[in-house]
Structure formats: structure tokens, C-alpha cells
Amino acid sequence: MTTKRESESGLLLRRMLGERIVFLDGAMGTMIQQYKLEEPDFRGNRFTQHPRDLKGNNDLLSLTRPDVVKEIHLQYLAAGADIIETNTFSGTQIGQADYGLEEIVFELNRKSAEIAKEACLEVMSREPGRVCFVAGAMGPTNRTCSLSPNVNDP
């Protein structure tokens, strides 16, 4: 069920799209690389005993380094982005299976959305009249859906 606020936001976005170019943020992964994060950053306090390596699981940073994720969102908003995407490129059970973290997918997605919304609200409170939006992001999985592992022999 769509709330009145969600309906108003949709109408506002449609109006903006009719009036001007609306900018979407850029690559989260590229921005994360600039922080040169190491295994302890990905583990945080919560996953210190996790049996698998977690470095590279950028989505996990929403739980272990939300400060970094929010800072990146704020950078994109400062650069003029109207829409920022959640840090959920691999926020699926399939994507998190490589790290043995399938059970945290819902929490990961929820926290990522909260961080993005928080960044938008912060910018909008500093810049009255500015409107920012959050879009959920989902990338491709690392699993093939084809029946054959050989593309030349379906």
C-alpha cells in the first residue's frame, strides 16, 4: 500500500523529470576503493569471529562502517546528485552466500536504505527547498542462470 508521503514523492520526482535533468549518483564500489579499507573494516566488531574473509563485501560496510557509506552518499549529494542508490549491489542471498552471510540480507538492505535516507534528510535540512531521493540498487549476481557452463554448448 502506498502512503500519502510516498505518493507525493513520486509526483514530485515526475515533475522534476519533466522540468530538468535529474542526476543519479555514481559507482559506490569505486568510491569505497578510495578509502583503502582492510579486513578489520569489513568485519567491524560484529563479525570478528566470522569464518570467511569479508574484505570486498562492500554491502557489509553498511553495518560495519556506516560512516564511510554515509560520507560517500554525502559526497554524491554535494556534487549535485538528486538520487542516491542504496549500498546494496550484492544485497541478495545469492550475493552474500560467497561470504556465508545469507542470513543478514534483510538487515543489510534495511540499514543501507536508512543510511541513504539519513544522508538525504541531512542535505535537505541544510539546503531548504532541495529535494533528494533514495533508490534501491541491485547488481547482477555472481551465478549464471544458463543450463550449461559452456556458452558454446547450450
Side-chain angles (χ1 to χ4, degrees):
M1 181 173 180
T2 303
T3 67
K4 182 179 179 188
R5 184 175 179 190
E6 289 168 340
S7 179
E8 290 171 359
S9 293
L11 292 172
L12 179 58
L13 180 58
R14 283 193 185 109
R15 188 170 68 230
M16 286 174 63
L17 288 166
E19 296 172 356
R20 66 178 180 84
I21 295 171
V22 175
F23 290 93
L24 180 67
D25 65 358
M28 179 64 82
T30 303
M31 293 294 282
I32 288 171
Q33 288 175 357
Q34 295 177 17
Y35 286 82
K36 306 219 184 299
L37 301 174
E38 296 297 331
E39 185 71 23
D41 294 298
F42 290 87
R43 288 184 176 278
N45 293 325
R46 179 173 172 185
F47 300 100
T48 56
Q49 301 301 314
H50 192 71
R52 296 191 194 173
D53 289 341
L54 298 176
K55 185 177 178 182
N57 186 356
N58 291 343
D59 297 28
L60 187 58
L61 295 171
S62 292
L63 299 177
T64 61
R65 290 297 308 270
D67 58 312
V68 170
V69 175
K70 183 178 177 186
E71 187 174 303
I72 292 168
H73 287 319
L74 291 171
Q75 289 176 42
Y76 275 121
L77 291 165
D82 298 294
I83 305 170
I84 56 173
E85 299 170 275
T86 57
N87 181 38
T88 53
F89 193 77
S90 298
T92 64
Q93 287 187 341
I94 294 170
Q96 290 302 310
D98 285 348
Y99 300 99
L101 293 174
E102 302 93 328
E103 73 279 354
I104 67 161
V105 168
F106 179 83
E107 178 186 5
L108 197 75
N109 282 279
R110 182 181 190 101
K111 182 64 174 175
S112 294
E114 290 171 352
I115 294 167
K117 182 176 180 180
E118 185 180 307
C120 284
L121 291 173
E122 185 176 315
V123 167
M124 291 187 299
S125 72
R126 284 195 314 248
E127 301 176 35
R130 177 148 183 213
V131 180
C132 307
F133 298 92
V134 173
M138 188 171 89
T141 68
N142 54 0
R143 303 288 190 276
T144 182
C145 292
S146 68
L147 298 175
S148 171
N150 181 350
V151 295
N152 295 316
D153 182 17

